[in-house]
Amino acid sequence: MAHSRVHKDRGELRIHESLDELGTDLAEYIAELSEASVKERGVFAIAISGGSLIGLMGKLCEAPYHKTVDWAKWYIFWADERVVGKTHADSNYKLAKDGLLSKVPVVPSHVNSINDSVSAEEAADDYEFHIRQLVKTRTINVSDNSDCPKFDLILLGMGPDGHVASLFPNHPMLDEKSEWVTFITDSPKPPPERITFTLPVINSASNVAVVVTGESKAEAVHLAIDDVGPDYLSLPARLVQPTKGKLVWFLDKPAASKLDGFQFSE
């Protein structure tokens, strides 16, 4: 059974006994947000990352969600993407298509992938322009307190170094305030060229969920959530702090094992 608690500064923590339990809870969470958003706005604008996150979303392809979710109202975006071809093994688009999107009845034209035939800088500019057009039509909502897009849900993973999307520790892109989508050509993880949402966009979302599993990320989870002093305030995952939206952490036991006060009854 999952343990849920609210951290005074860092949102809701949902800690799960197993990956299967986490996947079940994550699917229910996404389905509920989708239903609420479609009821309120007529659409559900969701941005996802790559990595193990897609696999953990897999229960959305199963009963009851493959039939109860209003897939035709989903508009899908990438919070970050590797600037490689759509059939390349490193492509987040390919990962999402193979693991999720090809198994549910999404509308192909609602899947908003990047232009992979241009440079990283051009791909970022192109993606931002595309998002701006959809904000104008309110397919994507607009933030209450800035001109940023207000996605209904942004789903993020986190690396052992505390990076989220393609925002890496000590990288100048953490300070980007004016762009919605930026690019990097020196990613510490291959491939080096990527586009990524900036922190203002991530923090303007109605809902942000950070999904983290595995013992290798336990220290980064501790530094991202616990009260650890000023030295770690610039950790990318710690900078995820929705201005008016809700933040939820989906963790398995190994990822949560170094949290202050962590106890999980056997």
Side-chain angles (χ1 to χ4, degrees):
M1 120 181 207
H3 287 228
S4 179
R5 63 184 170 97
V6 176
H7 189 283
K8 63 183 173 63
D9 299 316
R10 303 298 293 137
E12 180 187 354
L13 312 183
R14 299 187 182 188
I15 303 169
H16 300 84
E17 288 271 13
S18 66
L19 292 181
D20 187 66
E21 184 187 81
L22 189 156
T24 299
D25 189 31
L26 183 62
E28 179 69 17
Y29 165 82
I30 296 170
E32 286 178 0
L33 289 182
S34 170
E35 183 178 6
S37 180
V38 169
K39 191 175 290 185
E40 182 185 342
R41 304 201 310 112
V43 299
F44 181 53
I46 175 174
I48 56 179
S49 286
S52 57
L53 175 63
I54 299 299
L56 292 166
M57 294 171 68
K59 290 191 184 292
L60 287 168
C61 306
E62 302 171 7
Y65 306 112
H66 68 305
K67 289 186 177 177
T68 58
V69 169
D70 194 348
W71 296 104
K73 302 291 174 44
W74 277 42
Y75 284 76
I76 299 147
F77 302 83
W78 275 263
D80 71 316
E81 177 59 289
R82 293 85 179 270
V83 184
V84 295
K86 289 184 177 59
T87 58
H88 193 285
D90 288 330
S91 165
N92 285 342
Y93 168 85
K94 174 177 168 56
L95 193 65
K97 185 179 181 196
D98 292 351
L100 177 66
L101 303 181
S102 63
K103 301 176 181 180
V104 291
V106 295
V107 178
S109 63
H110 292 182
V111 178
N112 298 271
S113 56
I114 71 164
N115 182 350
D116 57 10
S117 64
V118 295
S119 70
E121 182 174 9
E122 290 172 301
D125 288 347
D126 180 77
Y127 209 49
E128 178 168 328
F129 178 81
H130 180 64
I131 290 171
R132 284 186 182 276
Q133 303 313 302
L134 293 174
V135 169
K136 282 181 183 175
T137 62
R138 291 296 185 269
T139 300
I140 306 169
N141 229 335
V142 67
S143 169
D144 306 328
N145 54 352
S146 74
D147 76 332
C148 277
K150 184 179 180 181
F151 285 89
D152 300 309
L153 172 62
I154 296 180
L155 277 169
L156 301 170
M158 186 191 74
D161 60 353
H163 85 266
V164 290
S166 283
L167 298 168
F168 292 93
N170 305 312
H171 199 283
M173 292 310 148
L174 293 175
D175 298 320
E176 178 59 59
K177 298 290 191 289
S178 58
E179 304 289 342
W180 292 359
V181 183
T182 191
F183 70 100
I184 61 173
T185 56
D186 57 353
S187 166
K189 282 181 66 181
E193 297 199 345
R194 299 160 177 242
I195 67 105
T196 182
F197 283 4
T198 58
L199 282 167
V201 169
I202 292 171
N203 288 332
S204 293
S206 294
N207 299 276
V208 180
V210 188
V211 183
V212 194
T213 62
E215 192 175 0
S216 67
K217 299 176 182 179
E219 181 66 16
V221 168
H222 162 62
L223 296 176
I225 294 174
D226 288 328
D227 298 322
V228 290
D231 291 351
Y232 299 100
L233 295 182
S234 61
L235 192 78
R238 197 169 185 95
L239 296 172
V240 174
Q241 187 80 53
T243 315
K244 290 192 172 180
K246 293 179 181 175
L247 174 62
V248 181
W249 297 80
F250 288 83
L251 309 168
D252 68 351
K253 279 174 68 175
S257 60
K258 293 188 178 180
L259 284 173
D260 290 348
F262 171 73
Q263 287 184 317
F264 212 122
S265 56
E266 296 299 331

